[in-house]
Amino acid sequence: MSDTTFSTQTFTKYGFKLGNLSLAEKVIYWTIILTPLWWILGIQTILYPTVAAFLLVVRFKFDKIIKGSLPICNWAWLGMILVALWTNIIGLESIGFQILKTAATLFTLFKGYFLIFACLTLPFWHRIRVKVITRAVSWMSASYLVILTIQFLILFAIGPQKSFLPPLARLIPGDKLSLMIKFAVIQPFFGIPLPRTDLYTADPPILGVCALLCFFICLEESNRSLRKVSLIGCLAALLVSQSRLAWVCFPLVCSIIYCFRSGLARQAYLWVISLLTLFAAVLSLSLKDLIALPLTTFNNARADSSKDREYVVNATIDAWKKSPFVGWGFMEKTVSWGNGAFEMPLGTFSSYAQVLYIHGIFGFIIFILALVSTLCSFWQPAMFGNIICQRAFACLVALYLLLHATNLSWMAIYFWFFFIWLGAILSEVQQLNVTEWEELSNRF
């Protein structure tokens, strides 16, 4: 038996065979797996939307749009692109379309809302299977362990290292802070010095979001060994991110999935409200006080960070009120505190405040419509017992909660594969006929 035959049989035996990959699957598969390489080169923010745009253009035909059956959520995200572009143009016109500001603003739209729309649409125009995305994300999640090990060895053996900007990153328009290669550092958490890093992302909280989403994607991995390693990698990344909100969302996702499987999805909100009221009555506390107690502990874990975020969000809302309908069009103004020691652009924290500030009420309505329609797309198959749709629905709920602390248009680039995964699920679900839905319903 030749070495090639042995390798192929071994590869198949342990559940690694994916069958013949389409062009889109090959491109996406290796783009996800080689994430550490793109991170080191500093080209993540330009590569991912370019790949998505390329694959979209390759199979673009007006018939696909006119006669195609794209879900409502895809059209909602397309609407968000158009509204965002409209408000961007209004804002840029007020400053005379300065070259650098115009390039940075349009590039943010390209790697934000356009990327989301493209990723959700690609599986409807190309053959992109869920298991291919799952396998690629599993390998990438396994690489978390490798990079974390290297960073911790550097931190404890050599000491903290300064971040640096890769040479290729200098060619990309916009803020360069998100392109910096950063090393692990020691930061206090509940007063305890612990290592913290952001790996392939621009900020540790974004790593927490990525790790959370990757964990539930990797649960579907068919190879047991790879699944275990990838899940450990996700948990490790989630832990070192020190993202409090991501930690809270992890059991929330598990709870939502459990509610689907136990038939409590329709009654879950009643149970939650009832239990909170019962505990409040037993402890002789008002519902507001009951929520305030854990929230205070939650904020005290990183008290300065929580106060800074709240201050920036409040300043963003105040600025939005001066241009409520179409917003300001781009992130321009800043807010400072601590006698000028700290300064941040308005709209830095909270996607909801940012959308109001940049795109106004019109943009905010379309944004909420896009979020809700995407979530609703998974409700029916989840209720019929589709496990992957249940996980997708729960992950979206968590993501929408996490958007309160981080900008979607800024961090979407780091979990672009999540939207392709969602699109692939919707594409496969759409292919199921009524009989198969009934079989799924009876099975679960």
Side-chain angles (χ1 to χ4, degrees):
M1 182 183 296
S2 66
D3 293 338
T4 304
T5 303
F6 176 78
S7 299
T8 303
Q9 290 182 353
T10 303
F11 195 73
T12 304
K13 176 182 177 182
Y14 290 99
F16 283 107
K17 189 173 182 179
L18 294 172
N20 294 326
L21 300 180
S22 64
L23 172 63
E25 287 177 334
K26 290 178 181 177
V27 172
I28 294 172
Y29 182 78
W30 288 108
T31 302
I32 295 174
I33 288 182
L34 295 178
T35 295
L37 176 61
W38 317 136
W39 170 61
I40 293 174
L41 294 176
I43 60 174
Q44 287 190 93
T45 56
I46 190 68
L47 177 67
Y48 301 148
T50 301
V51 167
F54 168 75
L55 293 175
L56 205 62
V57 170
V58 166
R59 297 292 295 271
F60 177 80
K61 291 182 180 179
F62 281 106
D63 291 344
K64 291 181 179 293
I65 296 179
I66 299 174
K67 299 180 181 179
S69 54
L70 291 178
I72 295 177
C73 62
N74 293 56
W75 294 108
W77 285 109
L78 180 59
M80 185 63 204
I81 296 173
L82 298 177
V83 172
L85 179 61
W86 172 54
T87 54
N88 286 159
I89 292 175
I90 293 176
L92 292 170
E93 185 181 19
S94 66
I95 61 172
F97 292 102
Q98 298 176 11
I99 295 178
L100 293 179
K101 178 58 67 175
T102 300
T105 301
L106 295 180
F107 181 67
T108 299
L109 179 62
F110 177 60
K111 69 184 182 69
Y113 301 127
F114 171 80
L115 177 64
I116 295 174
F117 166 75
C119 290
L120 285 171
T121 304
L122 283 176
F124 292 91
W125 291 6
H126 294 266
R127 189 190 70 158
I128 301 176
R129 292 166 292 168
V130 173
K131 66 178 183 180
V132 174
I133 305 302
T134 301
R135 176 61 49 79
V137 172
S138 297
W139 282 117
M140 187 204 67
S141 300
S143 72
Y144 284 161
L145 288 178
V146 178
I147 303 300
L148 282 176
T149 301
I150 295 174
Q151 288 207 7
F152 287 170
L153 286 175
I154 294 175
L155 176 63
F156 294 112
I158 302 177
Q161 301 295 309
K162 293 183 179 179
S163 58
F164 66 92
L165 184 67
L168 294 178
R170 304 178 189 276
L171 305 176
I172 301 176
D175 183 21
K176 299 296 187 294
L177 181 62
S178 61
L179 303 174
M180 300 290 287
I181 302 296
K182 303 173 186 177
F183 296 88
V185 296
I186 299 295
Q187 290 189 357
F189 191 73
F190 283 106
I192 303 174
L194 294 171
R196 193 185 195 197
T197 185
D198 47 20
L199 283 181
Y200 314 138
T201 68
D203 198 41
I206 301 179
L207 174 61
V209 178
C210 293
L212 175 68
L213 300 177
C214 287
F215 182 90
F216 291 97
I217 293 176
C218 294
L219 284 176
E220 194 64 21
E221 171 54 47
S222 58
N223 181 270
R224 183 178 300 178
S225 299
L226 178 58
R227 182 172 65 249
K228 289 181 180 179
V229 174
S230 63
L231 293 179
I232 294 174
C234 292
L235 292 176
L238 182 63
L239 184 64
V240 301
S241 71
Q242 294 186 16
S243 174
R244 295 157 294 168
L245 195 53
W247 289 6
V248 171
C249 285
F250 186 85
L252 173 64
V253 173
C254 296
S255 300
I256 294 174
I257 294 174
Y258 173 76
C259 287
F260 276 117
R261 297 182 183 180
S262 63
L264 295 176
R266 294 187 179 91
Q267 308 171 30
Y269 69 98
L270 296 175
W271 284 101
V272 171
I273 294 176
S274 300
L275 289 174
L276 285 176
T277 306
L278 174 61
F279 288 148
V282 171
L283 298 175
S284 299
L285 296 172
S286 67
L287 186 58
K288 180 179 179 181
D289 293 334
L290 183 64
I291 297 175
L293 287 176
L295 188 61
T296 300
T297 304
F298 180 83
N299 290 331
N300 286 339
R302 299 178 59 83
D304 293 337
S305 175
S306 297
K307 291 179 181 177
D308 294 346
R309 287 173 179 269
E310 182 180 3
Y311 185 77
V312 174
V313 170
N314 290 336
T316 301
I317 297 298
D318 291 338
W320 159 70
K321 293 177 181 178
K322 299 177 182 178
S323 181
F325 295 104
V326 296
W328 293 90
F330 55 89
M331 293 176 67
E332 174 67 16
K333 298 183 179 181
T334 61
V335 59
S336 60
W337 64 96
N339 295 324
F342 305 97
E343 185 177 14
M344 294 290 288
L346 293 177
T348 299
F349 303 116
S350 177
S351 293
Y352 305 108
Q354 184 213 38
V355 171
L356 278 172
Y357 168 64
I358 298 180
H359 307 298
I361 293 177
F362 292 118
F364 186 77
I365 292 174
I366 301 300
F367 182 67
I368 296 300
L369 177 62
L371 296 180
V372 173
S373 61
T374 305
L375 185 66
C376 292
S377 297
F378 295 92
W379 173 256
Q380 184 181 12
M383 289 300 296
F384 271 110
N386 189 306
I387 297 177
I388 300 181
C389 287
Q390 293 171 357
R391 292 171 183 163
F393 184 94
C395 285
L396 282 170
V397 172
L399 178 61
Y400 295 169
L401 182 59
L402 289 162
L403 292 185
H404 177 64
T406 315
N407 293 335
L408 178 62
S409 60
W410 185 40
M411 67 176 177
I413 194 74
Y414 300 105
F415 51 84
W416 65 290
F417 50 82
F418 173 70
F419 295 104
I420 296 184
W421 183 68
L422 294 179
I425 294 173
L426 291 177
S427 178
E428 292 185 3
V429 165
Q430 195 177 76
Q431 297 172 14
L432 293 174
N433 56 39
V434 178
T435 303
E436 290 173 313
W437 274 120
E438 292 177 351
E439 291 178 355
L440 281 174
S441 179
N442 294 329
R443 187 186 306 173
F444 296 100

